[in-house]
Amino acid sequence: MKKRQGINSYWRNVWQRFRTRGAGRLALRSLTLFVIIALSSPFVANERPWYIKVEGKSYSPLLKGLLVDLGVAKWPTALMPAEDWADKTYDRIVFTLIPYSPRSIDHKNLNARGPFEQQRIKSWRFRHWMGTDKSGRDVAAGMLHGTRMALWLGSIMVGIAILMGLFLGGIAGYFGDQGLIVSKSRIWAILLFLPFLCFYLAYLPGVPEEASAWTHGFHQLTYLFLYLILVFSLDRLLRLMLPKLGRYVVPLDTLLMRLLEVVDAIPSIILVLALIATLEQPTTTYMMVVVGIVSSASVARFVRAEFLKVRQQTYMEAGRALGFTHLRLLFRHALPNALGPLLVLLSFSMAAAIVTESTLSILGIGAPDRVTWGSILGELRGQHQIEWWLALFPGLAIFFTVLTFRYLSEALSEALGEK
């Protein structure tokens, strides 16, 4: 209880120091605003109306459409076909603030109409306040939904990088080259079934290629779980049959660091471009997963350095003397004390992830049906005449988002006493 109170007191002090930094408070408010925009974007910019009344009945196409997109509902007969809402006649209709979805094409305003140019619209209600791109898509709707995509894809990349880096760097820093002692029977079991695991993870026999990414991921996790069962079962059998096999000291730190150096030496953009050649329809999410895996190498080195410092602390020595398990020492003692610097790294990594996603989208890498800030900027490729609104609005959004995370990380670093 006293230890928990001490931890709570520590984080309260960190929060108090963070609040005294004006830049940190401003960055936190800015991040909150971005999150609110990301969550509310489907309800602010959508071609589906909030409310319609037809044949004496009331409907909410926007809310109904969200359920249809999730596959839990179907469109009522009165609303079929569910498109071109503005061209139909209803008893009453209430549109969203921006009556366009990010992929809605206004055929009357093609070839990039500017926000101050004359637009072919029925009324001011349907004006494109930030203009359109060359395909006739509303830039304002794309900007709002691009906020959600930027935070979502950035979170995927950072989440994978942090989780893998925390795992690899944590065990490398905690065990070092002398701390991990493994029975030879377990090593034999791991090496025996490893080729089969690699084959099944790579080819996924029995799973059609057109299956969703979630299906592929589920089967990969299933094969990994079965692999672990086989390894532990064979390990137990070999221990019973050959009790005098002995143990082996695994130089875990050296092995992982050499592996991470190889991975970190490969530029993430080059690796993504190489993987595109192996995929028929590369998606932005898949690309960010790959970038996250590559970025985990630098995170792992940072986490390793923190765990090397924590491992030498007195409370860790006391825990080992009391016979605490490795899991307890790792998760209840080492990790909480290395969490502060990791939060600073998380903020910096989020800024880098948004820049990486924008770079990939500008290069035209990813799903063409997803509108992001980078894809709006990518509309300027090959254009002799630069449409300023296609560069200004997404450019400012990327700039302020990255600046927000940079100031947030600096304020966290100062509050944690890292500077």
Side-chain angles (χ1 to χ4, degrees):
M1 180 65 67
K2 291 182 178 179
K3 180 180 178 182
R4 182 174 298 178
Q5 291 176 352
I7 294 175
N8 293 336
S9 176
Y10 168 76
W11 286 110
R12 279 197 301 268
N13 292 333
V14 170
W15 172 245
Q16 292 297 330
R17 291 195 297 269
F18 178 84
R19 291 177 60 184
T20 61
R21 273 72 179 177
R25 294 198 308 270
L26 182 61
L28 188 60
R29 292 169 184 170
S30 177
L31 177 59
T32 304
L33 177 61
F34 282 124
V35 172
I36 292 174
I37 292 174
L39 295 177
S40 62
S41 58
F43 306 99
V44 177
N46 206 313
E47 64 181 350
R48 297 165 181 167
W50 262 109
Y51 170 82
I52 63 171
K53 187 175 183 181
V54 57
E55 298 178 358
K57 294 184 179 180
S58 299
Y59 302 93
S60 178
L62 192 151
L63 299 178
K64 191 70 174 181
L66 294 177
L67 298 177
V68 172
D69 294 339
L70 293 174
V72 298
K74 295 182 179 180
W75 287 108
T77 306
L79 302 183
M80 298 297 290
E83 57 183 11
D84 299 330
W85 301 96
D87 296 334
K88 293 181 173 60
T89 303
Y90 302 98
D91 299 338
R92 187 182 179 187
I93 184 167
V94 178
F95 284 100
T96 56
L97 183 63
I98 300 175
Y100 300 102
S101 295
R103 294 188 296 272
S104 302
I105 297 178
D106 187 353
H107 297 280
K108 298 178 181 179
N109 293 282
L110 300 174
N111 300 322
R113 295 290 181 91
F116 303 118
E117 297 179 7
Q118 185 177 1
Q119 300 176 4
R120 300 177 59 187
I121 53 177
K122 294 189 297 184
S123 67
W124 66 270
R125 186 72 183 80
F126 296 94
R127 184 170 182 81
H128 302 278
W129 298 104
M130 289 187 180
T132 63
D133 60 12
K134 62 183 180 181
S135 300
R137 295 177 299 189
D138 186 77
V139 175
M143 290 295 301
L144 290 176
H145 286 263
T147 305
R148 183 176 58 175
M149 291 301 301
L151 295 180
W152 166 244
L153 295 175
S155 299
I156 290 177
M157 174 185 162
V158 172
I160 292 176
I162 292 294
L163 288 177
M164 291 189 62
L166 185 61
F167 173 75
L168 297 176
I171 62 175
Y174 175 79
F175 289 107
D177 283 336
Q178 303 295 327
L180 183 61
I181 301 176
V182 183
S183 63
K184 293 182 179 180
S185 60
R186 183 166 299 179
I187 295 178
W188 289 3
I190 292 174
L191 296 178
L192 178 63
F193 292 111
L194 186 59
F196 298 97
L197 175 67
C198 295
F199 170 80
Y200 280 98
L201 290 181
Y203 295 100
L204 292 177
V207 181
E209 294 183 359
E210 61 273 11
S212 65
W214 296 106
T215 303
H216 284 82
F218 173 76
H219 281 82
Q220 288 174 335
L221 290 176
T222 303
Y223 290 134
L224 181 60
F225 180 71
L226 293 176
Y227 169 76
L228 294 176
I229 293 178
L230 290 174
V231 166
F232 283 108
S233 300
L234 182 59
D235 174 40
R236 181 59 60 88
L237 181 62
L238 290 175
R239 286 188 184 184
L240 295 175
M241 296 176 60
L242 304 170
K244 297 183 179 181
L245 276 178
R247 297 185 175 186
Y248 180 72
V249 179
V250 181
L252 187 63
D253 189 21
T254 300
L255 291 175
L256 287 179
M257 286 303 103
R258 299 296 82 79
L259 175 63
L260 293 176
E261 286 174 1
V262 173
V263 174
D264 199 31
I266 305 174
S268 57
I269 299 297
I270 300 299
L271 181 60
V272 169
L273 293 175
L275 289 175
I276 288 177
T278 64
L279 298 174
E280 295 182 0
Q281 295 181 344
T283 63
T284 308
T285 303
Y286 180 81
M287 296 305 162
M288 296 306 291
V289 169
V290 173
V291 175
I293 294 174
V294 177
S295 302
S296 64
S298 58
V299 177
R301 287 204 305 271
F302 177 86
V303 173
R304 170 183 174 269
E306 292 298 322
F307 271 68
L308 284 174
K309 292 190 296 185
V310 171
R311 187 179 63 176
Q312 305 300 327
Q313 300 299 320
T314 305
Y315 57 84
M316 294 293 290
E317 296 290 343
R320 283 190 286 267
L322 291 173
F324 290 168
T325 63
H326 291 310
L327 288 177
R328 180 172 180 176
L329 288 172
L330 273 170
F331 289 101
R332 296 194 60 181
H333 300 278
L335 181 59
N337 288 279
L339 188 61
L342 194 62
L343 291 177
V344 179
L345 180 64
L346 176 64
S347 301
F348 275 110
S349 300
M350 194 68 183
I354 291 175
V355 173
T356 302
E357 183 277 324
S358 301
T359 303
L360 294 175
S361 297
I362 290 173
L363 295 175
I365 299 173
D369 59 336
R370 284 188 173 181
V371 180
T372 65
W373 295 336
S375 67
I376 297 174
L377 280 170
E379 293 286 331
L380 297 174
R381 287 182 297 138
Q383 297 292 321
H384 299 289
Q385 181 181 358
I386 297 180
E387 289 80 10
W388 60 268
W389 59 93
L390 296 180
L392 177 64
F393 298 125
L396 287 176
I398 296 171
F399 172 77
F400 283 114
T401 307
V402 172
L403 194 65
T404 294
F405 283 106
R406 293 302 293 266
Y407 275 121
L408 187 63
S409 59
E410 290 181 4
L412 277 172
S413 180
E414 294 175 359
L416 290 164
E418 297 296 321
K419 287 188 176 181

